[in-house]
């Protein structure tokens, strides 16, 4: 579990959860916003196991990425906790454009913007994909919409690794520039 100190403008804490292992995680493929990947048996088990850690929060609702791997994770958690699920395209993973479906090892740092687990170029992007700066802006717009429209609600956001990093950076008041690209494990829980 990872915690980011809330800044003065935060109205309520958020709990973020990455989706369970997907078939494309298992195959080490670039997923991005491609929606072909499904949860593996291990991914479903990870989601079920995470429920015990989530019971203490007394959520009002789950807001999930609309991509299958996240939504399947949210459904497992929602069923176990009796929670409504709403989806948001703003919680999708970073788009990797032409590289989606290709082996992770084929994505060079010059296009990902990440080298040695640090953001080295927040403007870099694969052809047809999204830069880290754009991902950060999308995350920030989403947070501001929550501050405006969901004040006081206890939310669980089920999303993706890159999106979690961008949400945490935004809530900490920092950009993606030189950001440490910490590991975000499947079904890991982050509080901001």
């Amino acid at each position: 579990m990872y915690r980011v100190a809330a800044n003065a403008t935060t109205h309520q804490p958020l709990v973020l959860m990455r989706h369970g292992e997907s078939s494309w995680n298992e195959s080490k493929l670039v997923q991005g916003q491609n929606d072909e990947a499904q949860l593996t048996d291990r991914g479903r088990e990870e989601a079920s196991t995470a429920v015990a850690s989530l019971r203490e929060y007394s959520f009002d609702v789950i807001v999930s990425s609309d991509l299958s791997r996240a939504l399947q994770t949210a459904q497992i958690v929602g069923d176990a906790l009796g929670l409504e699920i709403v989806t948001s395209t703003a919680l999708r993973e970073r788009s990797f454009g032409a590289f989606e479906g290709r082996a992770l090892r084929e994505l060079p740092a010059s296009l990902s913007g990440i080298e040695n687990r640090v953001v080295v170029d927040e403007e870099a992007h694969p052809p047809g994909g999204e830069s880290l700066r754009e991902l950060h802006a999308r995350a920030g717009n989403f947070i501001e919409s929550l501050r405006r429209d969901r004040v006081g609600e206890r939310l669980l956001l089920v999303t993706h690794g890159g999106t979690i990093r961008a949400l945490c950076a935004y809530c900490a008041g920092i950009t993606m520039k030189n950001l440490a690209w910490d590991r975000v494990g499947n079904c890991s829980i982050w509080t901001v």
Side-chain angles (χ1 to χ4, degrees), residues 73-127:
T73 302
Q75 289 168 333
I76 291 167
V77 173
D79 287 349
L81 299 179
L83 294 170
E84 172 192 8
I85 300 166
V86 295
T87 61
S88 174
T89 58
L91 289 177
R92 286 183 174 186
E93 181 59 281
R94 175 186 180 190
S95 170
F96 286 94
F99 274 79
E100 292 180 3
R102 293 174 63 178
L104 279 169
R105 69 181 181 287
E106 294 178 22
L107 182 62
S110 62
L111 297 180
S112 72
I114 303 159
E115 190 169 15
N116 297 321
R117 306 194 69 85
V118 174
V119 174
V120 294
D121 183 356
E122 64 183 345
E123 298 297 334
H125 59 86

Side-chain angles (χ1 to χ4, degrees), residues 7 17 23 38 40 42 49 54 66 71 74 82 84 92 98 105 111 123 127 137-138 158 160 166 168 177 184:
N7 64 31
M17 179 178 169
S23 53
Q38 302 293 310
T40 62
R42 180 178 176 175
T49 300
L54 295 169
D66 65 333
L71 189 53
E84 172 192 8
R92 286 183 174 186
R105 69 181 181 287
L111 297 180
E123 298 297 334
R138 176 163 50 93
V158 179
H160 309 270
C168 288
K177 186 176 181 178
V184 177

